[in-house]
Amino acid sequence: MDYDVQEIRKRFPILSRKIEGKPLIYLDNTATSQTPRSVVDAIVAGYDDFKANVHRGVHTLSQEATELQEECRRRVRDYIGASSVEEVVFTRGTTEAINLVASSFGSLFPQGGEIILTVMEHHANIVPWQLLQSRRPDLKIRVVDINDRGELLLDQYRSLFNENTCMASFCHVSNVLGTVNPVKEMIAFAHSRGVPVLVDGAQAVPHMKVDVSELDCDFYVFSSHKMYGPTGIGVLYGKKEHLLRMPPYQGGGEMIAHVSFESTTFADLPFKFEAGTPDFVGIGAFPKALDFIDEVGMENIAEHEHGLLEYAESRMREIPGMRIFGNAPHKSAVISFLVGDIHHYDMGMLLDKLGVEVRTGHHCAQPLMQRLGISGTVRASFAAYNTKEEVDAFIAALQRVIPILS
Ligand code: PLP
């Protein structure tokens, strides 16, 4: 593979920063990735050259801004293999997209309906369903467990389906364990029982090629900021047949066809779900992040990250007392770990003093922490621009801080 990581790094100005006088080693990519200059330039151009509200004006600037936004929608449609732009709804992120589905699609659930989730979900794919349940106490949430490697118990998953099951919602990739779930089979099984599926793709889309038509999922959600794009925007892909039936999530400008005090009618898809002024500057810049991924090649990125994962894990396993949470054979480049009885916060704070930025805590997955019997982990995660030398520096930093904290 011809992979010039130094060339890639040059596109990310932040990577030349220093932390505590040490070179920045950014290993918190699961929380958010860094942003290439091309995306930042597009954001600046959005303000400098194109800023006008979208879909509202006949004037040139508004038309240009609208065209940028709709160009992004076409790009996202092609990028994820959706069949139409009507199926691509812009949101504030994964979280808002799941809230939209839980609130709107959830309002159509039958009495006594059951929703299947998994124990490895991010809070973003738990709490919206609980909020729905608080309005609809007749609904039940059923939860799929994991095995010791951090893989879903698929037999249990299948056994949870019954005549009341009305929804299954699970992550494509766990943000803690890195497990890549066999979502295609899980979706096919749900469909064989007539159950629609939402896939939380926040941790998948930045690291692998995703084709929603091939997966045949009903909903697929993700955030731009985790895939080298701007903050504050995300995507809800939904099958048109569902989106057409769903009531609006929020009301306001742009989502209406006609408003009167007697009755209001709603705009066509996807605008019915896009109330108010969107982050059109961010949306306009998002295609530059997709360009970056395409230029480097998603397969190359995946191979590079996988190499770093294997190398880092093999070196980490040499450290006495090391416990890695998530050992599925099919795993993304996320390593959650603890060493002996060192507290994850202490470890994170000392690593920061050495320039190594890792995440510590429950990673918005408290039910999973409870399942693992721990309060949190340290988590290192890789992206296209991380290097083997950074892994070495990370391991050296671990070797320095462990004796201090033990
Ligand atoms: N789902 C998963 C699996 C995640 O990892 C995250 C963020 O870490 C989210 C949902 C929430 O994403 P956002 O905060 O961008 O809405």
Side-chain angles (χ1 to χ4, degrees):
M1 177 181 59
D2 185 17
Y3 195 87
D4 190 345
V5 72
Q6 294 307 332
E7 188 50 46
I8 290 169
R9 290 177 70 80
K10 285 190 199 141
R11 306 194 199 184
F12 293 81
I14 200 171
L15 296 179
S16 49
R17 246 203 83 166
K18 294 228 171 3
I19 302 286
E20 305 271 346
K22 314 264 180 340
L24 164 67
I25 297 179
Y26 185 76
L27 302 181
D28 194 15
N29 295 288
T30 301
T32 195
S33 64
Q34 297 302 341
T35 312
R37 188 72 234 172
S38 54
V39 173
V40 178
D41 285 346
I43 293 170
V44 172
Y47 284 102
D48 279 354
D49 303 332
F50 300 103
K51 187 154 183 251
N53 212 332
V54 287
H55 290 295
R56 284 178 197 176
V58 290
H59 61 76
T60 303
L61 277 187
S62 175
Q63 287 181 8
E64 286 175 359
T66 304
E67 177 49 26
L68 267 184
Q69 170 167 301
E70 295 313 310
E71 173 55 27
C72 177
R73 204 186 304 272
R74 292 190 286 274
R75 189 72 200 282
V76 170
R77 172 200 62 196
D78 297 342
Y79 194 78
I80 61 171
S83 31
S84 129
V85 284
E86 294 170 294
E87 299 183 321
V88 177
V89 177
F90 289 122
T91 65
R92 283 195 302 122
T94 304
T95 303
E96 188 178 52
I98 301 176
N99 275 279
L100 190 165
V101 175
S103 173
S104 169
F105 193 58
S107 71
L108 306 174
F109 288 168
Q111 189 69 17
E114 297 189 6
I115 302 154
I116 297 180
L117 306 179
T118 86
V119 76
M120 65 168 74
E121 297 313 312
H122 188 282
H123 296 162
N125 194 24
I126 299 174
V127 184
W129 303 108
Q130 290 175 328
L131 290 177
L132 171 67
Q133 204 184 23
S134 67
R135 296 193 298 275
R136 289 275 312 271
D138 59 294
L139 299 176
K140 276 205 192 72
I141 292 176
R142 315 285 304 268
V143 182
V144 186
D145 199 5
I146 50 171
N147 64 20
D148 289 345
R149 285 197 301 262
E151 296 163 298
L152 290 176
L153 299 178
L154 293 177
D155 284 344
Q156 188 193 37
Y157 168 71
R158 287 185 281 266
S159 74
L160 289 182
F161 283 80
N162 63 36
E163 65 284 0
N164 292 323
T165 311
C166 58
M167 186 79 200
S169 186
F170 40 77
C171 58
H172 198 160
V173 174
S174 159
N175 67 316
V176 176
L177 305 165
T179 312
V180 181
N181 290 320
V183 290
K184 193 167 175 192
E185 292 156 42
M186 292 170 74
I187 293 163
F189 183 82
H191 286 175
S192 74
R193 302 302 165 98
V195 174
V197 175
L198 180 148
V199 179
D200 172 354
Q203 298 300 342
V205 178
H207 307 287
M208 62 182 73
K209 187 86 198 100
V210 170
D211 186 316
V212 294
S213 299
E214 199 195 317
L215 289 178
D216 196 29
C217 49
D218 299 273
F219 301 99
Y220 197 98
V221 297
F222 57 96
S223 302
S224 145
H225 71 96
K226 294 183 194 287
M227 52 190 303
Y228 313 106
T231 60
I233 63 166
V235 171
L236 161 65
Y237 158 79
K239 278 187 180 165
K240 188 174 168 185
E241 66 196 78
H242 297 312
L243 295 178
L244 281 173
R245 282 200 311 128
M246 287 160 57
Y249 170 55
Q250 293 182 328
E254 241 186 289
M255 51 74 72
I256 52 89
H258 177 77
V259 179
S260 74
F261 281 109
E262 288 68 44
S263 76
T264 288
T265 52
F266 305 120
D268 291 334
L269 293 177
F271 307 110
K272 179 171 93 173
F273 294 107
E274 293 180 357
T277 301
D279 181 355
F280 56 84
V281 172
I283 294 169
F286 185 36
K288 294 290 177 198
L290 302 180
D291 287 347
F292 166 75
I293 294 174
D294 282 349
E295 278 161 34
V296 180
M298 183 50 99
E299 281 174 14
N300 296 333
I301 293 175
E303 196 180 328
H304 174 73
E305 291 175 349
H306 195 72
L308 293 177
L309 172 73
E310 288 199 330
Y311 178 62
E313 285 197 338
S314 71
R315 298 237 22 221
M316 289 168 77
R317 288 211 174 83
E318 290 164 8
I319 296 174
M322 175 64 66
R323 278 190 295 163
I324 294 177
F325 298 89
N327 294 291
H330 200 187
K331 184 176 168 176
S332 175
V334 179
I335 313 176
S336 284
F337 66 97
L338 288 172
V339 182
D341 55 11
I342 298 173
H343 198 277
H344 40 94
Y345 286 145
D346 296 338
M347 175 87 85
M349 274 164 56
L350 283 201
L351 287 175
D352 176 57
K353 300 275 174 249
L354 300 173
V356 179
E357 310 290 283
V358 290
R359 184 133 300 233
T360 58
H362 54 65
H363 316 299
C364 297
Q366 283 182 333
L368 177 59
M369 295 300 132
Q370 213 174 342
R371 166 66 181 80
L372 297 170
I374 54 179
S375 64
T377 71
V378 185
R379 183 183 69 187
S381 51
F382 304 112
Y385 39 70
N386 289 118
T387 66
K388 193 160 172 274
E389 291 70 32
E390 287 184 312
V391 174
D392 288 332
F394 164 55
I395 301 290
L398 279 177
Q399 282 161 341
R400 266 186 75 184
V401 306
I402 289 168
I404 299 171
L405 295 169
S406 294

Short mmCIF file of all heavy atoms in Angstrom, two decimals, residues 29-32 91-98 120-125 170-176 200-204 221-226 232-234 359 363-364 379, ligand 1:
data_model
loop_
_atom_site.label_atom_id
_atom_site.label_comp_id
_atom_site.label_asym_id
_atom_site.label_seq_id
_atom_site.Cartn_x
_atom_site.Cartn_y
_atom_site.Cartn_z
N ASN A 29 -9.59 10.18 18.59
CA ASN A 29 -10.32 10.32 17.33
C ASN A 29 -11.75 9.79 17.39
O ASN A 29 -12.58 10.17 16.57
CB ASN A 29 -9.54 9.62 16.23
CG ASN A 29 -8.22 10.32 15.98
OD1 ASN A 29 -8.20 11.41 15.44
ND2 ASN A 29 -7.12 9.72 16.43
N THR A 30 -12.01 8.91 18.36
CA THR A 30 -13.38 8.41 18.50
C THR A 30 -14.31 9.53 18.94
O THR A 30 -15.46 9.59 18.52
CB THR A 30 -13.38 7.25 19.52
OG1 THR A 30 -12.49 6.25 19.03
CG2 THR A 30 -14.73 6.64 19.71
N ALA A 31 -13.79 10.42 19.79
CA ALA A 31 -14.61 11.54 20.26
C ALA A 31 -14.81 12.55 19.13
O ALA A 31 -15.93 13.00 18.87
CB ALA A 31 -13.95 12.21 21.46
N THR A 32 -13.72 12.92 18.49
CA THR A 32 -13.82 13.76 17.29
C THR A 32 -12.50 13.65 16.55
O THR A 32 -11.44 13.52 17.18
CB THR A 32 -14.15 15.23 17.61
OG1 THR A 32 -14.58 15.89 16.41
CG2 THR A 32 -12.99 16.01 18.19
N THR A 91 -28.91 16.99 10.07
CA THR A 91 -29.23 17.20 11.49
C THR A 91 -28.03 17.86 12.14
O THR A 91 -27.04 18.14 11.46
CB THR A 91 -29.48 15.85 12.20
OG1 THR A 91 -28.26 15.09 12.19
CG2 THR A 91 -30.58 15.04 11.51
N ARG A 92 -28.10 18.03 13.46
CA ARG A 92 -26.94 18.57 14.18
C ARG A 92 -25.90 17.50 14.43
O ARG A 92 -24.79 17.78 14.85
CB ARG A 92 -27.37 19.16 15.52
CG ARG A 92 -28.03 20.52 15.40
CD ARG A 92 -28.11 21.22 16.76
NE ARG A 92 -28.85 20.41 17.71
CZ ARG A 92 -28.35 19.99 18.87
NH1 ARG A 92 -27.12 20.27 19.22
NH2 ARG A 92 -29.11 19.27 19.69
N GLY A 93 -26.27 16.25 14.27
CA GLY A 93 -25.31 15.16 14.51
C GLY A 93 -26.06 13.86 14.72
O GLY A 93 -27.29 13.79 14.56
N THR A 94 -25.30 12.84 15.08
CA THR A 94 -25.88 11.52 15.33
C THR A 94 -26.97 11.60 16.40
O THR A 94 -28.05 11.03 16.27
CB THR A 94 -24.77 10.57 15.83
OG1 THR A 94 -23.72 10.55 14.86
CG2 THR A 94 -25.28 9.17 16.05
N THR A 95 -26.66 12.33 17.47
CA THR A 95 -27.58 12.42 18.60
C THR A 95 -28.93 12.97 18.16
O THR A 95 -29.98 12.40 18.47
CB THR A 95 -26.97 13.33 19.70
OG1 THR A 95 -25.71 12.80 20.07
CG2 THR A 95 -27.89 13.42 20.90
N GLU A 96 -28.90 14.08 17.42
CA GLU A 96 -30.17 14.66 17.00
C GLU A 96 -30.89 13.73 16.04
O GLU A 96 -32.12 13.61 16.07
CB GLU A 96 -29.99 16.03 16.36
CG GLU A 96 -31.34 16.68 16.11
CD GLU A 96 -31.25 18.07 15.51
OE1 GLU A 96 -30.58 18.25 14.48
OE2 GLU A 96 -31.86 18.98 16.07
N ALA A 97 -30.14 13.04 15.20
CA ALA A 97 -30.78 12.13 14.23
C ALA A 97 -31.53 11.01 14.95
O ALA A 97 -32.64 10.64 14.58
CB ALA A 97 -29.71 11.56 13.29
N ILE A 98 -30.92 10.47 16.01
CA ILE A 98 -31.60 9.38 16.74
C ILE A 98 -32.81 9.93 17.50
O ILE A 98 -33.87 9.30 17.53
CB ILE A 98 -30.63 8.63 17.68
CG1 ILE A 98 -29.46 8.04 16.88
CG2 ILE A 98 -31.36 7.51 18.44
CD1 ILE A 98 -28.38 7.35 17.71
N MET A 120 -23.99 -2.31 24.41
CA MET A 120 -22.81 -1.52 24.01
C MET A 120 -23.19 -0.17 23.41
O MET A 120 -22.34 0.51 22.84
CB MET A 120 -21.91 -2.31 23.05
CG MET A 120 -22.53 -2.61 21.73
SD MET A 120 -21.32 -3.22 20.52
CE MET A 120 -21.02 -4.88 21.07
N GLU A 121 -24.45 0.25 23.54
CA GLU A 121 -24.84 1.52 22.90
C GLU A 121 -24.28 2.74 23.63
O GLU A 121 -24.15 2.76 24.85
CB GLU A 121 -26.38 1.63 22.83
CG GLU A 121 -27.04 0.57 21.99
CD GLU A 121 -26.39 0.34 20.64
OE1 GLU A 121 -26.12 1.33 19.93
OE2 GLU A 121 -26.12 -0.82 20.30
N HIS A 122 -24.00 3.75 22.84
CA HIS A 122 -23.71 5.10 23.34
C HIS A 122 -25.02 5.64 23.92
O HIS A 122 -26.11 5.27 23.45
CB HIS A 122 -23.28 5.94 22.12
CG HIS A 122 -22.76 7.30 22.44
ND1 HIS A 122 -23.60 8.36 22.74
CD2 HIS A 122 -21.50 7.81 22.48
CE1 HIS A 122 -22.87 9.44 22.93
NE2 HIS A 122 -21.59 9.14 22.78
N HIS A 123 -24.92 6.53 24.90
CA HIS A 123 -26.14 7.10 25.49
C HIS A 123 -27.07 7.69 24.43
O HIS A 123 -28.29 7.73 24.62
CB HIS A 123 -25.78 8.19 26.51
CG HIS A 123 -25.00 7.65 27.69
ND1 HIS A 123 -24.26 8.45 28.52
CD2 HIS A 123 -24.85 6.38 28.16
CE1 HIS A 123 -23.69 7.70 29.46
NE2 HIS A 123 -24.02 6.44 29.25
N ALA A 124 -26.47 8.15 23.32
CA ALA A 124 -27.29 8.74 22.25
C ALA A 124 -28.26 7.74 21.64
O ALA A 124 -29.25 8.13 21.01
CB ALA A 124 -26.38 9.30 21.15
N ASN A 125 -27.98 6.46 21.81
CA ASN A 125 -28.89 5.44 21.29
C ASN A 125 -29.61 4.69 22.42
O ASN A 125 -30.06 3.57 22.25
CB ASN A 125 -28.15 4.45 20.38
CG ASN A 125 -29.10 3.61 19.55
OD1 ASN A 125 -30.25 4.02 19.29
ND2 ASN A 125 -28.66 2.44 19.14
N PHE A 170 -29.14 -0.32 16.90
CA PHE A 170 -27.83 -0.72 17.44
C PHE A 170 -26.71 -0.03 16.67
O PHE A 170 -26.91 0.46 15.55
CB PHE A 170 -27.65 -2.24 17.40
CG PHE A 170 -28.18 -2.90 16.16
CD1 PHE A 170 -27.48 -2.84 14.98
CD2 PHE A 170 -29.39 -3.59 16.18
CE1 PHE A 170 -27.96 -3.45 13.83
CE2 PHE A 170 -29.89 -4.20 15.04
CZ PHE A 170 -29.18 -4.14 13.86
N CYS A 171 -25.54 -0.02 17.31
CA CYS A 171 -24.40 0.64 16.67
C CYS A 171 -23.76 -0.30 15.65
O CYS A 171 -23.79 -1.52 15.82
CB CYS A 171 -23.38 1.08 17.71
SG CYS A 171 -22.71 -0.23 18.74
N HIS A 172 -23.17 0.31 14.64
CA HIS A 172 -22.41 -0.46 13.65
C HIS A 172 -21.06 -0.84 14.28
O HIS A 172 -20.63 -1.98 14.16
CB HIS A 172 -22.21 0.41 12.41
CG HIS A 172 -21.83 -0.33 11.18
ND1 HIS A 172 -22.00 0.17 9.92
CD2 HIS A 172 -21.25 -1.54 11.00
CE1 HIS A 172 -21.54 -0.70 9.04
NE2 HIS A 172 -21.09 -1.74 9.66
N VAL A 173 -20.45 0.15 14.97
CA VAL A 173 -19.16 -0.08 15.64
C VAL A 173 -19.26 0.53 17.05
O VAL A 173 -19.71 1.67 17.19
CB VAL A 173 -18.01 0.61 14.86
CG1 VAL A 173 -16.70 0.50 15.63
CG2 VAL A 173 -17.86 0.03 13.47
N SER A 174 -18.81 -0.22 18.05
CA SER A 174 -18.85 0.28 19.43
C SER A 174 -17.77 1.32 19.65
O SER A 174 -16.61 1.09 19.31
CB SER A 174 -18.66 -0.88 20.40
OG SER A 174 -18.22 -0.39 21.66
N ASN A 175 -18.15 2.43 20.29
CA ASN A 175 -17.18 3.50 20.55
C ASN A 175 -16.25 3.17 21.72
O ASN A 175 -15.32 3.90 21.99
CB ASN A 175 -17.89 4.84 20.82
CG ASN A 175 -18.67 4.84 22.11
OD1 ASN A 175 -19.38 3.87 22.41
ND2 ASN A 175 -18.57 5.88 22.89
N VAL A 176 -16.53 2.06 22.43
CA VAL A 176 -15.68 1.67 23.55
C VAL A 176 -14.88 0.42 23.21
O VAL A 176 -13.67 0.36 23.41
CB VAL A 176 -16.54 1.40 24.81
CG1 VAL A 176 -15.67 0.89 25.95
CG2 VAL A 176 -17.30 2.65 25.21
N ASP A 200 -26.67 3.04 14.23
CA ASP A 200 -25.88 4.18 14.66
C ASP A 200 -24.47 4.00 14.06
O ASP A 200 -23.67 3.20 14.54
CB ASP A 200 -25.83 4.21 16.20
CG ASP A 200 -24.85 5.26 16.73
OD1 ASP A 200 -24.14 5.87 15.93
OD2 ASP A 200 -24.81 5.42 17.96
N GLY A 201 -24.22 4.76 13.00
CA GLY A 201 -22.97 4.59 12.26
C GLY A 201 -21.90 5.59 12.64
O GLY A 201 -20.90 5.73 11.91
N ALA A 202 -22.05 6.26 13.79
CA ALA A 202 -21.11 7.33 14.16
C ALA A 202 -19.65 6.85 14.12
O ALA A 202 -18.76 7.60 13.71
CB ALA A 202 -21.44 7.87 15.56
N GLN A 203 -19.42 5.60 14.54
CA GLN A 203 -18.04 5.11 14.57
C GLN A 203 -17.70 4.22 13.38
O GLN A 203 -16.61 3.65 13.34
CB GLN A 203 -17.80 4.32 15.87
CG GLN A 203 -17.96 5.15 17.12
CD GLN A 203 -16.99 6.32 17.18
OE1 GLN A 203 -15.98 6.37 16.48
NE2 GLN A 203 -17.31 7.29 18.02
N ALA A 204 -18.62 4.09 12.44
CA ALA A 204 -18.34 3.24 11.29
C ALA A 204 -17.95 4.08 10.07
O ALA A 204 -16.93 3.83 9.43
CB ALA A 204 -19.56 2.38 10.97
N VAL A 221 -27.41 6.69 10.81
CA VAL A 221 -27.11 8.04 11.30
C VAL A 221 -25.61 8.19 11.57
O VAL A 221 -24.94 7.24 11.97
CB VAL A 221 -27.91 8.33 12.60
CG1 VAL A 221 -29.40 8.31 12.33
CG2 VAL A 221 -27.57 7.34 13.71
N PHE A 222 -25.10 9.40 11.34
CA PHE A 222 -23.68 9.66 11.63
C PHE A 222 -23.42 11.16 11.74
O PHE A 222 -24.28 11.98 11.41
CB PHE A 222 -22.76 9.00 10.60
CG PHE A 222 -23.02 9.40 9.16
CD1 PHE A 222 -22.28 10.41 8.55
CD2 PHE A 222 -24.00 8.76 8.41
CE1 PHE A 222 -22.50 10.76 7.22
CE2 PHE A 222 -24.24 9.12 7.08
CZ PHE A 222 -23.48 10.11 6.50
N SER A 223 -22.22 11.47 12.25
CA SER A 223 -21.81 12.87 12.50
C SER A 223 -20.62 13.22 11.61
O SER A 223 -19.68 12.43 11.49
CB SER A 223 -21.36 13.06 13.95
OG SER A 223 -22.38 12.72 14.84
N SER A 224 -20.63 14.44 11.10
CA SER A 224 -19.53 14.91 10.25
C SER A 224 -18.22 15.08 11.03
O SER A 224 -17.13 14.78 10.53
CB SER A 224 -19.95 16.23 9.61
OG SER A 224 -18.90 17.12 9.46
N HIS A 225 -18.32 15.54 12.30
CA HIS A 225 -17.09 15.92 13.02
C HIS A 225 -16.20 14.72 13.35
O HIS A 225 -15.04 14.91 13.71
CB HIS A 225 -17.43 16.68 14.30
CG HIS A 225 -18.05 15.83 15.38
ND1 HIS A 225 -17.33 15.26 16.39
CD2 HIS A 225 -19.33 15.45 15.58
CE1 HIS A 225 -18.14 14.58 17.18
NE2 HIS A 225 -19.37 14.68 16.71
N LYS A 226 -16.74 13.52 13.25
CA LYS A 226 -15.91 12.34 13.52
C LYS A 226 -15.24 11.83 12.24
O LYS A 226 -14.53 10.83 12.27
CB LYS A 226 -16.77 11.22 14.13
CG LYS A 226 -17.31 11.56 15.52
CD LYS A 226 -18.08 10.40 16.09
CE LYS A 226 -18.91 10.77 17.29
NZ LYS A 226 -18.12 11.02 18.50
N GLY A 232 -21.09 20.14 14.33
CA GLY A 232 -22.47 20.67 14.33
C GLY A 232 -23.35 20.19 13.21
O GLY A 232 -24.47 20.69 13.05
N ILE A 233 -22.86 19.23 12.41
CA ILE A 233 -23.76 18.69 11.38
C ILE A 233 -23.69 17.16 11.36
O ILE A 233 -22.67 16.56 11.71
CB ILE A 233 -23.49 19.24 9.96
CG1 ILE A 233 -22.11 18.86 9.47
CG2 ILE A 233 -23.68 20.73 9.90
CD1 ILE A 233 -21.94 19.08 7.98
N GLY A 234 -24.78 16.58 11.00
CA GLY A 234 -24.85 15.13 10.92
C GLY A 234 -25.88 14.74 9.88
O GLY A 234 -26.50 15.62 9.26
N ARG A 359 -8.77 9.66 25.77
CA ARG A 359 -10.02 9.94 26.50
C ARG A 359 -10.09 9.05 27.72
O ARG A 359 -9.61 7.91 27.69
CB ARG A 359 -11.23 9.70 25.61
CG ARG A 359 -12.52 10.07 26.29
CD ARG A 359 -13.41 10.88 25.43
NE ARG A 359 -12.85 12.14 25.02
CZ ARG A 359 -13.44 13.32 25.18
NH1 ARG A 359 -14.60 13.40 25.80
NH2 ARG A 359 -12.91 14.42 24.73
N HIS A 363 -17.16 7.17 28.55
CA HIS A 363 -17.33 7.29 27.10
C HIS A 363 -18.81 7.31 26.68
O HIS A 363 -19.17 6.76 25.63
CB HIS A 363 -16.58 6.18 26.35
CG HIS A 363 -15.21 5.93 26.87
ND1 HIS A 363 -14.24 6.89 26.86
CD2 HIS A 363 -14.65 4.84 27.45
CE1 HIS A 363 -13.13 6.42 27.42
NE2 HIS A 363 -13.37 5.17 27.79
N CYS A 364 -19.66 7.89 27.53
CA CYS A 364 -21.11 7.94 27.25
C CYS A 364 -21.67 6.55 27.02
O CYS A 364 -22.51 6.35 26.12
CB CYS A 364 -21.41 8.84 26.05
SG CYS A 364 -20.97 10.54 26.31
N ARG A 379 -9.01 5.41 26.81
CA ARG A 379 -9.30 4.97 25.43
C ARG A 379 -8.38 5.70 24.44
O ARG A 379 -8.33 6.92 24.42
CB ARG A 379 -10.76 5.28 25.09
CG ARG A 379 -11.18 4.78 23.71
CD ARG A 379 -12.62 5.17 23.41
NE ARG A 379 -12.75 6.61 23.23
CZ ARG A 379 -13.92 7.26 23.07
NH1 ARG A 379 -15.06 6.58 23.11
NH2 ARG A 379 -13.95 8.56 22.90
N1 PLP B 1 -23.08 7.09 18.78
C1 PLP B 1 -21.82 6.68 18.91
C2 PLP B 1 -21.48 5.24 18.69
C3 PLP B 1 -20.82 7.59 19.25
O1 PLP B 1 -19.56 7.18 19.40
C4 PLP B 1 -21.17 8.94 19.44
C5 PLP B 1 -20.15 9.93 19.84
O2 PLP B 1 -19.11 9.60 20.36
C6 PLP B 1 -22.50 9.32 19.27
C7 PLP B 1 -23.42 8.37 18.94
C8 PLP B 1 -22.93 10.74 19.44
O3 PLP B 1 -22.41 11.53 18.42
P1 PLP B 1 -22.62 13.10 18.40
O4 PLP B 1 -22.16 13.60 19.74
O5 PLP B 1 -21.79 13.57 17.27
O6 PLP B 1 -24.08 13.35 18.19
#
